[in-house]
Amino acid sequence: MYKTGELKMKKTIFFALSIIICLSLVGCGGSSNDTQQNIEEDSKSEETQSIEVDEGLLNVEITVPPDFLEKGTTQETLDETAKEEGIKSITLNDDGSATYIMSKSKHDEMMAGIRESIDESMAEMIDPETYPTFVEVTSNDDYTHFTVKLSSNEVGLSESISVLGFYMLGGLYNAFNGTPVDDVTVSFVNADTGDIIQEAHSSEMAE
């Protein structure tokens, strides 16, 4: 089981992610061009909110942007969290970001928790009210390639918008793992035939 502080960190990450996805879905009432433009703007905005990971021989240092911290976070609250959860130190920086220094074993625990949350997020996407055509969602080990099996042979607007969520999941996992990636791929596959209907690449959003 994961401690309260680790769960808080996971919940903060994926709460921010959920807001981004929900804001994108709100745009479904507009034209497809408007929705695509909103997605691209959100993606560019996230590029400025980078996560920095420095893995040393014994410790792992992670710096997260201000948006990943709870409102009203102070150095005192971070010190308390670090003491309670066995994190060596958490420093609130002048720009509002926070730098965590933890042991490699603690980092491994955190990554296991993030993996668990991503797997849960993928399972929850099999929801007929949100994505009626989703049959199964899987990924490779490092979350750089997601496969979505559909009951349909067409990729609708809501399915197309869902790729932003997959890009974020893959990007966040690898950012916190210290293995940033240039591309996350989403393959939409017909569940009956196994044929690839459409593929999307996060690297193409900047084009």
Side-chain angles (χ1 to χ4, degrees):
M1 295 297 292
Y2 303 103
K3 295 181 179 180
T4 303
E6 292 162 356
L7 290 173
K8 276 185 177 181
M9 192 171 189
K10 289 196 302 171
K11 288 178 180 179
T12 300
I13 294 166
F14 290 102
F15 176 70
L17 172 60
S18 298
I19 292 175
I20 293 170
I21 295 174
C22 289
L23 287 174
S24 299
L25 291 174
V26 168
C28 290
S31 68
S32 59
N33 288 337
D34 289 341
T35 302
Q36 180 64 26
Q37 183 178 356
N38 290 337
I39 292 175
E40 291 176 354
E41 288 174 353
D42 285 338
S43 177
K44 291 177 181 177
S45 175
E46 285 303 306
E47 290 176 0
T48 65
Q49 301 293 314
S50 61
I51 300 164
E52 298 178 4
V53 177
D54 182 11
E55 187 168 349
L57 293 175
L58 300 176
N59 298 323
V60 177
E61 180 177 310
I62 301 175
T63 300
V64 299
D67 288 348
F68 283 74
L69 303 179
E70 294 182 1
K71 186 176 181 180
T73 294
T74 64
Q75 184 60 60
E76 287 73 20
T77 59
L78 293 179
D79 289 341
E80 183 179 348
T81 298
K83 183 178 180 180
E84 290 177 352
E85 308 308 333
I87 297 172
K88 295 193 173 183
S89 68
I90 310 175
T91 303
L92 184 63
N93 302 314
D94 293 339
D95 61 359
S97 64
T99 299
Y100 292 67
I101 297 179
M102 63 187 73
S103 66
K104 286 195 172 184
S105 61
K106 180 65 67 174
H107 182 250
D108 289 342
E109 288 181 18
M110 185 191 74
M111 294 310 302
I114 292 178
R115 289 181 67 89
E116 181 181 325
S117 289
I118 292 177
D119 292 342
E120 289 175 357
S121 296
M122 291 193 297
E124 290 171 359
M125 294 183 82
I126 310 303
D127 181 353
E129 293 186 3
T130 307
Y131 300 109
T133 63
F134 279 20
V135 175
E136 183 182 33
V137 180
T138 58
S139 73
N140 61 351
D141 289 340
D142 63 358
Y143 302 100
T144 56
H145 190 170
F146 295 86
T147 300
V148 184
K149 292 185 178 180
L150 304 179
S151 59
S152 170
N153 204 39
E154 295 183 358
V155 178
L157 181 59
S158 62
E159 289 84 359
S160 296
I161 293 175
S162 73
V163 301
L164 178 62
F166 292 116
Y167 294 163
M168 294 295 297
L169 289 172
L172 282 171
Y173 173 82
N174 284 281
F176 277 94
N177 197 43
T179 54
V181 294
D182 295 327
D183 187 51
V184 175
T185 303
V186 182
S187 298
F188 292 100
V189 177
N190 183 282
D192 295 325
T193 65
D195 294 335
I196 296 177
I197 304 168
Q198 181 177 307
E199 282 194 338
H201 297 268
S202 63
S203 60
E204 295 177 353
M205 294 193 66
E207 296 179 358

